[in-house]
Amino acid sequence: MTFRDTAWPEGAPCWVDMMADDVDEATRFYGDLLGWEFVDTGEDYGHYSIAMVDGRATAAIGPKPPGVQAPSAWSTYLAVDDADAAAERITAAGGKLILPPGDVGEAARTAVAVDPAGAVFGIWQAGRTTGVQIANVPGALTWNECVVRDYPAAKRFYAEVFGYGFDEPSHGDFEYATLRVDAGDGAEAAEVGGIGTLPDIAVADIPPHWTTYFAVTEVDAVVTRLVDLGGTVHGGPVDSPRGRLAAVADPGGAYFRVIES
C-alpha cells in the first residue's frame, strides 16, 4: 500500500490516463470493474475525470480531442522536476516530442514523447496535481513497464534521460530489468517499474509500448466480470513471478493488465 501527496521522484511513473471515445461509457466500465469513483474536473478541462480509490486519485479518463482518430490507450507519465529540461534530454538522447511541454492549468506541466525504440510515454512536472495519491492496493495503479523490440537502445535512452539504474533478474531468453530511481535522503534506490523485450511470439503489429497494471484481489473473477462488461481478454489469467495476472482491454480497445495484489 502506497500513499503519496507530494511530487514523485524523477523517473518514477507517477500518473496514468486514457482518452476515451465515450467518457461516460468508460467511467461506467472501470467503476464497475475496479470500483472507481470519479471526480469530474469540469468543462474547462474537458470533463477530464479523476479515478478515485478510497478518496485518493489513482488514474484519469478524458475525452479524445476533436478530430483525433487514434485508438484508445492507457498512457504512462514519468515524473520530472523540470519538463522543459527533460524535453531537451529526450531529444538529445534520440527521442522525439509528440507534444512539447505545456501547462495543464495549474495541475501540471506535461509533454508526450516517443523513445528511440518506438514506445510512447508522457512526462509530468507536478503542479497542483502531484500524481497518483494511492497505489498498490486493489483497484489502484500498481506497476508500469516498457516493452520494446530494441531493448539495449531503450535502456540506454531511459538511463540517459531519467538516470535509471537497472536490476536484471534471470528470465531465461526473455530480457527484462526493473527500473530504479534515487529515493533521496540516503535511502536505497527505489524500484519503480520495468523494461523488457516484446516476446518473439508477439504479433508483428503490436507496437512497443508502456503497459499499465491495476491491482485486483482475484484476477480470475475480475476477468470474468470484464468479459460480462464487454471487455476483451488478450492473455491469461496466468501465474507470474509477480503474481497472477491477465492482459485485457476495455470495450473501447484500451489495453491494460490486472494483477493480484
Side-chain angles (χ1 to χ4, degrees):
M1 181 181 296
T2 302
F3 297 120
R4 192 176 186 99
D5 293 309
T6 57
W8 289 78
E10 189 153 85
C14 69
W15 190 247
V16 294
D17 67 13
M18 189 266 288
M19 300 295 105
D21 291 307
D22 186 326
V23 173
D24 289 340
E25 179 181 293
T27 55
R28 282 195 297 271
F29 170 82
Y30 286 98
D32 199 331
L33 186 73
L34 298 175
W36 289 351
E37 296 182 346
F38 289 90
V39 174
D40 187 333
T41 59
E43 187 173 352
D44 288 346
Y45 291 92
H47 297 286
Y48 189 75
S49 296
I50 310 299
M52 312 292 284
V53 173
D54 293 335
R56 302 175 72 86
T58 198
I61 296 173
K64 291 180 182 177
V68 171
Q69 300 299 319
S72 298
W74 280 100
S75 299
T76 295
Y77 293 80
L78 307 176
V80 294
D81 298 329
D82 183 327
D84 296 87
E88 292 181 2
R89 296 197 303 272
I90 286 168
T91 56
K96 296 180 180 179
L97 293 175
I98 298 173
L99 292 174
D103 293 328
V104 184
E106 297 179 354
R109 186 165 177 80
T110 70
V112 178
V114 58
D115 68 32
V120 175
F121 65 98
I123 55 174
W124 188 278
Q125 178 186 330
R128 188 180 63 230
T129 301
T130 57
V132 171
Q133 296 175 315
I134 186 170
N136 306 321
V137 299
L141 179 67
T142 193
W143 190 250
N144 302 78
E145 66 188 12
C146 179
V147 288
V148 295
R149 291 185 172 84
D150 193 342
Y151 177 70
K155 280 185 64 184
R156 285 193 300 270
F157 170 81
Y158 287 104
E160 185 173 341
V161 175
F162 298 102
Y164 289 141
F166 302 95
D167 284 345
E168 299 192 78
S170 175
H171 287 279
D173 294 333
F174 177 59
E175 294 178 297
Y176 191 90
T178 56
L179 308 174
R180 291 187 173 271
V181 298
D182 183 2
D185 299 324
E188 182 180 351
E191 181 183 88
V192 296
I195 186 168
T197 52
L198 277 166
D200 291 338
I201 61 172
V203 177
D205 62 359
I206 296 178
H209 61 276
W210 277 83
T211 301
T212 297
Y213 287 69
F214 296 113
V216 297
T217 302
E218 295 182 5
V219 162
D220 295 73
V222 167
V223 167
T224 298
R225 183 60 180 156
L226 175 135
V227 172
D228 290 342
L229 293 170
T232 305
V233 180
H234 288 273
V238 64
D239 293 324
S240 80
R242 289 186 171 270
R244 190 162 176 80
L245 60 82
V248 298
D250 66 24
Y255 175 88
F256 61 100
R257 291 191 173 196
V258 288
I259 186 168
E260 289 184 2
S261 60

